[in-house]
């Protein structure tokens, strides 16, 4: 939780709230790649990227 609170404090102090959607999208894409790695959908997801 320390990393998230430091990241939020950084964005709040420097008024960089536009970073939040970028970080969330990057986390979602990373999670999609990790979870799809072992499934039958992996070949289809990798063709998207």
């Amino acid at each position: 939780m320390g990393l998230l609170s430091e990241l939020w404090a950084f964005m709040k102090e420097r008024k960089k709230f536009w970073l939040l959607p970028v970080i969330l999208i990057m986390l979602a894409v990373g999670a999609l790649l990790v979870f799809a790695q072992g499934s039958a959908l992996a070949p289809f997801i990798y063709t998207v990227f």
Side-chain angles (χ1 to χ4, degrees), residues 15-43:
K15 307 288 190 245
K16 303 262 186 205
F17 293 110
W18 57 269
L19 286 173
L20 189 60
V22 174
I23 293 170
L24 291 177
I25 289 173
M26 288 175 57
L27 287 174
V29 169
L32 177 68
L33 290 175
V34 167
F35 290 131
Q37 190 174 16
S39 74
L41 295 175

